[in-house]
Amino acid sequence: MQLSQQQHSFFDTFGYLVFSELFSSAEIAEITAAFEITIREFGGGDHDGSQRTMFLGPIESHPTLCALLDDARIQAIVGAILGADFNYACGDGNYYSGDTGWHADGNWGELFACKIAFYLDPLGRDSGCLRVIPGSQRPDHFIRTEGISPRQSLELYGVEAADFPGNIALETQPGDLVIFNHDLYHASFGGGQRRRMFTMNLTRGCRSADDVEKFHNYVRVHTPGGYKIDTGAGMFRPTLLDTASEARMIHLQKGVEIHDKLFPHLARK
């Protein structure tokens, strides 16, 4: 698959894209089953709904999920947006409970990092689907130029956060895929206590000294070392590395190298 010029323009302008029914019902059933295995193993056991259950590296511990990084559809989408030499930079798996509130995952001021999100339950505008503020990834967006916090919508404007002007609810079904710029403001409201979702974080390849510095800053914080987690293999869990082809390693090697330098005590022995 290839992205159209309209899709490129949409992502550049609004900061996100939704791909409906990218995965078949059979594929998403297999993916969901693998997710359930990994969250039980690495997500702390039972989820009682009182708070979010989260674990790092959801795609890294089951061959079915590891293979998502090799999937031609994901390769095409991410390659078109970030370049074919993109870095995979971990992710998180979740049982979400309650609202998340407005936030951005980054503040790069440019297209440096993206997030892919898989939602494993049907989600609507009143049941916890992803909401975005289109264009808010741009440094010239009014939220950024005027220093507005959408989280304070009620205090500032008398408007509930879920009704912050201009936001869009991205209603999804299992099998849909959402990709968005890390700098894009997003949230979810009104959902249940066991919403299943996992992510893949990705950055552009390290093509300059500035890119290398940015990726160092990312790895320093948003990886096992930053969270003081010992995976047994450094930046990534062993299964992702042990099943990796040369093609997959293109997206892993730089992260491994940087993580080993920053956190040598966690490097694979």
Side-chain angles (χ1 to χ4, degrees), residues 6-263:
Q6 289 84 359
Q7 287 173 309
H8 276 285
S9 297
F10 191 98
F11 187 87
D12 290 343
T13 301
F14 301 115
Y16 70 96
L17 284 170
V18 180
F19 296 87
S20 299
E21 300 181 344
L22 189 69
F23 292 87
S24 69
S25 57
E27 288 175 312
I28 204 65
E30 188 176 5
I31 288 168
T32 301
F35 171 81
E36 291 287 359
I37 291 170
T38 58
I39 198 168
R40 284 198 301 271
E41 183 173 354
F42 298 103
D46 294 335
H47 172 77
D48 64 9
S50 63
Q51 60 184 355
R52 172 188 181 187
T53 294
M54 187 272 282
F55 72 106
L56 198 65
I59 76 162
E60 299 172 25
S61 300
H62 193 288
T64 295
L65 300 183
C66 289
L68 289 171
L69 189 54
D70 310 322
D71 188 279
R73 292 160 292 189
I74 289 179
Q75 287 278 332
I77 292 167
V78 181
I81 291 173
L82 290 174
D85 61 342
F86 66 85
N87 297 311
Y88 166 67
C90 297
D92 55 79
N94 304 271
Y95 287 138
Y96 271 107
S97 182
D99 300 343
T100 65
W102 291 109
H103 64 286
D105 292 334
N107 189 31
W108 303 105
E110 58 178 319
L111 177 55
F112 178 71
C114 291
K115 174 172 284 185
I116 284 178
F118 291 82
Y119 296 91
L120 303 181
D121 300 288
L123 296 174
R125 62 181 299 110
D126 298 319
S127 56
C129 76
L130 181 71
R131 291 172 181 255
V132 299
I133 301 175
S136 58
Q137 83 284 0
R138 299 169 62 97
D140 60 354
H141 191 275
F142 72 87
I143 283 177
R144 296 182 177 278
T145 59
E146 299 182 28
I148 294 170
S149 171
R151 279 182 176 267
Q152 297 179 299
S153 181
L154 187 61
E155 295 92 328
L156 292 172
Y157 310 116
V159 175
E160 294 290 343
D163 299 320
F164 188 86
N167 90 79
I168 292 179
L170 305 180
E171 298 185 312
T172 54
Q173 294 289 326
D176 298 348
L177 180 144
V178 181
I179 184 168
F180 58 93
N181 189 314
H182 263 201
D183 289 6
L184 184 74
Y185 274 87
H186 57 284
S188 65
F189 300 97
Q193 296 180 316
R194 196 177 180 274
R195 307 193 310 280
R196 297 172 296 179
M197 174 263 206
F198 68 91
T199 69
M200 298 166 62
N201 290 312
L202 312 132
T203 79
R204 70 179 180 226
C206 295
R207 305 164 200 156
S208 66
D210 183 59
D211 285 344
V212 172
E213 181 180 1
K214 281 185 170 66
F215 198 38
H216 267 84
N217 291 336
Y218 185 95
V219 172
R220 186 175 288 110
V221 178
H222 302 290
T223 60
Y227 291 114
K228 297 181 172 61
I229 295 172
D230 187 352
T231 66
M235 173 88 162
F236 307 113
R237 297 191 185 277
T239 304
L240 183 67
L241 297 170
D242 293 344
T243 61
S245 63
E246 289 185 11
R248 184 191 296 174
M249 286 304 300
I250 292 171
H251 310 297
L252 305 179
Q253 191 59 51
K254 195 64 178 179
V256 169
E257 292 174 3
I258 292 174
H259 195 274
D260 284 355
K261 289 179 182 178
L262 291 173
F263 308 104

